[in-house]
């Protein structure tokens, strides 16, 4: 079995007085694609922010490749090889697609070249000179993922990449995620769309009220779709 890359233990998090994460426990092994599933407000995005160091009030343990990061600043965590692709994607509309791609610095060796990104996302290839504002939602998502791959990150935290996208584009995002897996990257994916999640991920953690309440494989998801639909309110 591959070794653990990310181990989250008894992770608590707060926004001001609001206690949001109540002792999250889960792990992701090298090369795995794992999802956090849960309803709106369950604490999935907050968990990603805590791992990235962006949630200031946090305690417990987040070990990345054996290094404790719970007290580290986000830029230090990024340098270890962790990258967050937020739900809002963060594409700058005044910059070209290529300028957006080159915005984050390359932090580690092993990042993808522009040629490799062209192969992974042929749709972006024709748009390097266009402004970020001209991209569709799906293209923005591809650019947001491509931008991370260039930095050499080894753990990618992806927040709802399929949100608001047409089925044909969701399919392309799915292919891209499977390609990341083939390249040995490790992905922690936040999703509400468990049908999509079950087609890409190895394992799933179900999150409720800031805690992991269940753990399942994609086969188990397929066998429990009605129960999950009721639970996730979809
Ligand atoms: P969603 O799909 O809606 O993003 P989620 O599971 O990712 O759901 P979070 O975004 O982590 O949930 O939110 C968890 C809780 O924290 C919610 O009750 C939310 O209202 C609250 N919350 C999120 N961001 C903030 C913030 N900046 N300040 C205060 N409370 C917040």
């Amino acid at each position: 079995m591959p070794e653990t890359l990310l181990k989250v233990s008894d992770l608590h998090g707060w926004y001001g007085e609001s206690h949001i994460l109540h002792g999250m426990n889960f792990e992701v092994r090298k090369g795995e694609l794992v999802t956090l599933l849960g309803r709106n407000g369950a604490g999935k995005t907050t968990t990603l922010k805590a791992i990235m160091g962006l949630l200031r009030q946090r305690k417990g343990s987040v070990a990345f490749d054996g290094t404790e990061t719970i007290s580290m600043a986000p830029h230090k965590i990024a340098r270890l090889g962790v990258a967050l692709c937020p739900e809002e994607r963060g594409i700058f509309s005044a910059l070209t697609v290529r300028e957006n791609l080159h915005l984050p610095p390359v932090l580690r060796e092993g990042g993808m070249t522009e040629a490799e990104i062209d192969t992974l996302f042929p749709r972006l290839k024709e748009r390097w000179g266009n402004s970020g504002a001209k991209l569709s939602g799906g293209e923005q998502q591809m650019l947001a993922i491509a931008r991370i791959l260039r930095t050499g990150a080894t753990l990618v935290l992806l927040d709802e990449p399929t949100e608001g996208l047409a089925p044909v584009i969701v399919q392309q995002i799915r292919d891209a995620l499977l390609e990341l897996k083939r390249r040995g990257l490790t992905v922690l994916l936040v999703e509400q769309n468990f049908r999509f999640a079950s087609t890409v991920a190895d394992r799933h953690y179900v999150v409720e009220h800031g805690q992991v309440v269940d753990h399942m494989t994609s086969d188990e998801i397929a066998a429990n779709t009605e129960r999950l639909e009721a639970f996730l309110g979809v």
Side-chain angles (χ1 to χ4, degrees), residues 2 20 30 79 85 94 97 154 163 189 203 221:
I20 304 292
K30 282 190 180 157
R79 246 181 248 147
C85 188
V97 172
T154 50
E163 168 88 35
L189 172 70
R203 298 186 296 117
I221 283 202

Side-chain angles (χ1 to χ4, degrees), residues 14-16 18-21 37-49 55 87 159-160 163 190-192 207 210:
W14 294 259
Y15 293 110
S18 305
H19 191 175
I20 304 292
L21 303 180
L37 296 172
R39 279 186 241 226
N40 274 338
K44 307 178 299 294
T45 299
T46 306
T47 302
L48 297 189
K49 284 188 187 163
L55 183 75
E87 199 174 345
D159 200 350
E160 301 211 31
E163 168 88 35
V190 158
E191 262 302 332
Q192 292 207 47
V207 180

Side-chain angles (χ1 to χ4, degrees), residues 67-141:
T67 301
E68 181 56 65
T69 64
I70 195 72
S71 307
M72 280 189 194
H75 69 278
K76 294 226 165 106
I77 297 174
R79 246 181 248 147
L80 294 175
V82 184
L84 170 67
C85 188
E87 199 174 345
E88 59 276 13
R89 299 168 189 147
I91 303 303
F92 290 87
S93 52
L95 301 181
T96 65
V97 172
R98 182 174 274 115
E99 284 165 345
N100 267 286
L101 180 77
H102 289 272
L103 208 54
V106 173
L107 294 167
R108 297 160 56 84
E109 284 180 21
M112 276 190 200
T113 61
E114 218 172 272
E116 287 174 309
I117 290 169
D118 281 345
T119 310
L120 185 61
F121 295 117
R123 284 177 79 97
L124 289 181
K125 188 176 172 180
E126 303 142 25
R127 290 168 174 74
W128 286 129
N130 290 6
S131 100
K134 295 247 170 69
L135 296 184
S136 68
E139 290 162 351
Q140 286 188 18
Q141 186 61 59

Side-chain angles (χ1 to χ4, degrees), residues 10 34 78 140 157 189 208:
D10 197 27
V34 168
Q140 286 188 18
L157 311 172
L189 172 70
E208 192 176 30

